[in-house]
């Protein structure tokens, strides 16, 4: 596997990423699980997400190249950074055709669906709010959490589509638990925030692997709101 290409991730999140790279079904069998989540290679399911009127993609969504000098290698302009986590991060290029700023809300539960089922899908767990100016190409890097523990960590050459907003009840329990927590993109995180991101990432894997959250994990997540 090429999971080690994210060698420049901060230590706490790198441990989470490597745990996914090294895990596998102990019997070597394909596991269906929740569609598009955990070990499943099926397309993710949920409510379709559409960009608001006047906004359209200006380029294919690419992975965020943590290991590259230019984190979005296909983009040569300045980026705005949004989201939380970052094991999976996408480079998002938007075109605004309205002549006026357009608000964009990326809802919690939105999935960035990898076109390669060996690469991880990303999931937003907190709402991302962006105001897109009236330009042909507004560029953003959006950090998300990994929804597939056993897949490869995406790189700058990975391609994504805007997937659905998951309707999975267990994921939405996690979303409610982290609402209001001070979560940031990993490249902006201090040591404490890195540990918090690792707690959330592991909790998402509990859910996407079908185990669900236990009381110990819920307590750990509740502690994030007390910082």
């Amino acid at each position: 596997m090429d999971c080690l290409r994210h060698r420049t991730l901060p230590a706490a999140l790198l441990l989470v990423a490597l745990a996914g790279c090294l895990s596998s079904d102990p019997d070597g069998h394909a596991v269906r699980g929740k569609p598009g989540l955990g070990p499943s290679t099926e397309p993710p399911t949920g409510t379709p997400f559409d960009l608001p009127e006047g906004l359209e993609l200006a380029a294919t969504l690419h992975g965020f190249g943590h290991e590259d000098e230019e984190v979005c290698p296909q983009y040569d302009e300045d980026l705005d950074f949004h989201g939380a986590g970052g094991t999976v991060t996408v480079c998002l290029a938007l075109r605004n055709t309205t002549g006026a700023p357009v608000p964009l809300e990326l809802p919690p539960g939105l999935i960035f669906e990898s076109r390669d089922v060996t690469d991880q899908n990303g999931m937003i767990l907190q709402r991302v709010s962006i105001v897109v100016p009236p330009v042909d190409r507004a560029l953003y890097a959006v950090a998300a959490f990994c929804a597939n523990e056993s897949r490869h960590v995406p790189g700058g050459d990975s391609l994504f589509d805007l997937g659905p907003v998951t309707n999975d009840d267990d994921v939405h329990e996690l979303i409610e638990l982290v609402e209001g927590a001070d979560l940031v993109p990993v490249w902006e995180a201090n040591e404490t925030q890195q540990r918090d991101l690792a707690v959330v990432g592991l909790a998402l894997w509990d859910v996407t692997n079908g185990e669900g959250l236990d009381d110990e994990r819920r307590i750990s997540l509740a502690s994030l709101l007390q910082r």
Side-chain angles (χ1 to χ4, degrees), residues 104-214:
L104 171 63
E105 299 285 331
L106 303 179
L110 176 66
I111 297 171
F112 296 121
E113 183 180 357
S114 173
R115 293 188 181 182
D116 184 343
V117 296
T118 67
D119 281 345
Q120 297 162 344
N121 292 326
M123 183 182 291
I124 295 173
L125 294 179
Q126 293 181 322
R127 187 172 303 276
V128 173
S129 298
I130 301 171
V131 177
V132 183
V135 295
D136 285 337
R137 189 174 164 92
L139 303 176
Y140 306 93
V142 182
F145 289 90
C146 162
N148 310 90
E149 181 182 2
S150 59
R151 296 191 192 181
H152 297 170
V153 178
D157 56 350
S158 300
L159 302 179
F160 293 86
D161 292 305
L162 285 172
V165 180
T166 184
N167 53 16
D168 184 84
D169 290 339
D170 295 324
V171 173
H172 280 279
E173 179 190 3
L174 174 58
I175 288 170
E176 291 177 4
L177 288 170
V178 301
E179 184 178 2
D182 182 23
L183 302 178
V184 299
V186 65
W187 52 88
E188 298 178 0
N190 59 34
E191 186 174 348
T192 297
Q193 291 168 324
Q194 290 172 30
R195 289 195 295 267
D196 292 346
L197 293 175
V199 168
V200 175
L202 290 169
L204 181 57
W205 285 350
D206 288 344
V207 170
T208 56
N209 288 338
E211 301 163 14
L213 300 175
D214 59 22

Side-chain angles (χ1 to χ4, degrees), residues 25 29-43 45 147-148 151 208-210:
D25 174 50
H29 299 148
V31 183
R32 290 174 61 88
K34 301 171 184 285
L37 307 179
S40 170
T41 56
E42 298 178 1
T45 59
N148 310 90
R151 296 191 192 181
T208 56
N209 288 338

Side-chain angles (χ1 to χ4, degrees), residues 54-59 75 77 92-100 132-140:
L55 293 186
E56 59 189 28
L57 293 177
Y75 300 167
E77 298 99 328
L92 175 64
L94 296 172
R95 179 179 297 110
N96 179 348
T97 63
T98 69
V132 183
V135 295
D136 285 337
R137 189 174 164 92
L139 303 176
Y140 306 93

